[in-house]
Amino acid sequence: ASPRLDENNILHLAGYYNTSPERVTFDITIAPVNNVWRLGSISVKVLPPPSVAQAPPAPRPATAPITKKKSPGHDSKEAVTKAR
């Protein structure tokens, strides 16, 4: 928000520092007293970051069933035929 003077001549400052991972917000009032600006109030909060619309997680790729390949010569018909 922009700085503003209210009807009582009090300056209001509000904003935030976009730090990571949290956001630091502040709200300050300053009032003129005897021609000197004096701090009226200050509020500082540490808030979680604003939520960001996230895309749904990507679907996991389908996995093919694992099959064991028989090496030649191990219980294969070809190996038995050659051995005869």
Side-chain angles (χ1 to χ4, degrees):
S2 298
R4 65 180 176 82
L5 281 174
D6 69 10
E7 63 279 353
N8 297 319
N9 207 28
I10 295 175
L11 179 62
H12 291 264
L13 304 167
Y16 64 91
Y17 292 100
N18 204 17
T19 55
S20 179
E22 291 87 12
R23 175 181 275 192
V24 177
T25 63
F26 62 90
D27 190 352
I28 301 169
T29 61
I30 303 171
V33 178
N34 298 325
N35 294 324
V36 177
W37 287 101
R38 303 282 179 158
L39 180 64
S41 66
I42 185 168
S43 172
V44 178
K45 295 179 185 175
V46 177
L47 303 173
S51 61
V52 177
Q54 295 180 353
R60 295 179 63 183
T63 55
I66 298 173
T67 57
K68 292 185 178 180
K69 293 184 178 180
K70 294 183 180 180
S71 59
H74 271 307
D75 300 322
S76 69
K77 288 182 181 180
E78 183 181 319
V80 173
T81 305
K82 288 182 180 178
R84 291 185 182 172

